[in-house]
Amino acid sequence: MGRRALITGVTGQDGSYLAELLVSKGYTVYGLVRRLSTPNMTHLAAVKERIHLIDGDLTDQSSINNAIRESQPDEVYNLAAQSFVQTSFKQPTLTCDVSGVGVVRMLEGVRLHAPQARFYQASTSELYGQVQREPQDEATPFHPRSPYGFAKLMGYWAVINYRESYGLHASNGILFNHESPRRGIEFVTRRITHGVAQIALGKSKNLHLGNLAARRDWGYAPEYVEGMWRMLQQREPSDYVLATNTSFTVAQFASLAFKVAGFRNWRKFVSVDQALMRPAEVHTLRGNPKKARKRLGWQATTRVPELVKKMVAADLENLEGPRR
Ligand code: F7E
């Protein structure tokens, strides 16, 4: 019989790429979706007819249990979260409930209803926060700097505890930032590429950004979902960093994006908006993916200049319609 997978957060960037990957590998894919008055299925266009959607919410244990019983998964990918760091400062307890306690609910559901299933947790480089070492790897101490970060820290430790206490095959993917044309518009890379496309097409005159000096290790999302899958194919569960081991500042990303659209002087268009600054900032992140390379044979291949090109091209096409 073919394998079965349950994905939470299936409508998002990573969830939709992962659903496509698993469908292409012959899995029967189930996705947990939160009810919205206006459903957002855009990213699932390619696979919507081939996956099964189940209503549920990470804050609701019975809907999680029901989804696990209904899907009888061999693999569970917990990608759902309140994932925007800035919002987590405004809604800290909601963020903890979804992105922290939500992980415990998922693990309880798996422990009680599908204990043989392999479990992937979307952990994050935000755990490192105020970085203690450069580059960061699986042994680097954590120091989260936001409610999102400390909620995810709870999820990270919950995974390790369920592994040690109950023998669940549960793994943390400590993923550094990973982007694509499907990235939500509130995140900085997409905010930049969408803003650049609008300026290039005469639909806007400027772009407001926050901290231009922040430095991130940005990779390409479809490569990272392949890494998630590889983690669950290992005989033993473990925790892995996925990253490119290179980093760029927000200013460098913006400069590249304007250049791709034919603008030399990006500073002319960009103004800094204090409202986009965070109460505490994660200034710099760069990950060392050596363990993933060695054990999973995984490597990031797309670097920032190529990523910027893909994202600007997609935003130009979205806004102006396909080129002839
Ligand atoms: O910010 C700075 C901002 O919101 C990146 C999530 O997927 O990756 C993501 O978290 C940096 C920060 O992502 C703007 O202050 C400047 O230093 O794109 P971001 P993030 O906070 O790194 C990790 C791995 C996750 O797990 C998260 O779920 O860019 N920045 N100007 C800005 N950020 C935003 N959003 N908007 C600006 O205008």
Side-chain angles (χ1 to χ4, degrees), residues 230-248:
R230 289 192 189 197
M231 287 177 212
L232 296 204
Q233 309 318 304
Q234 303 306 301
R235 214 163 59 86
E236 299 298 333
S238 193
D239 309 312
Y240 298 91
V241 162
L242 299 187
T244 68
N245 207 354
T246 58
S247 74
F248 288 77

Side-chain angles (χ1 to χ4, degrees), residues 82-86 123-126 148 152 175-179 183 186-189 191 208-212 214-216 218 250 276-278 281-283 285:
Q82 189 304 94
S83 66
F84 189 37
V85 172
Q86 184 116 2
S123 284
T124 162
S125 52
E126 284 295 298
Y148 172 78
K152 283 282 185 179
L175 269 53
F176 282 63
N177 300 50
H178 45 286
E179 319 293 310
R183 189 54 142 151
E186 67 274 33
F187 296 94
V188 75
T189 56
R191 191 177 166 84
H208 298 280
L209 293 173
N211 179 11
L212 298 175
R215 193 172 262 286
R216 287 292 183 278
W218 283 294
V250 170
L276 294 164
M277 300 288 185
R278 298 170 181 186
E281 177 63 291
V282 172
H283 298 287
L285 288 171

Side-chain angles (χ1 to χ4, degrees), residues 32 34 56-64 80 93-99 101-103 105-106:
L32 188 77
R34 192 159 43 98
D57 194 305
L58 280 206
T59 60
D60 180 36
Q61 185 76 57
S62 63
S63 68
I64 290 172
T93 56
L94 173 88
T95 302
C96 288
D97 198 12
V98 177
S99 311
V101 184
V103 185
R105 295 191 187 98
M106 287 299 297

Side-chain angles (χ1 to χ4, degrees), residues 50 62 125 145 171 179 210 214 224 275:
R50 286 185 287 168
S62 63
S125 52
R145 294 266 283 170
S171 298
E179 319 293 310
Y224 286 56

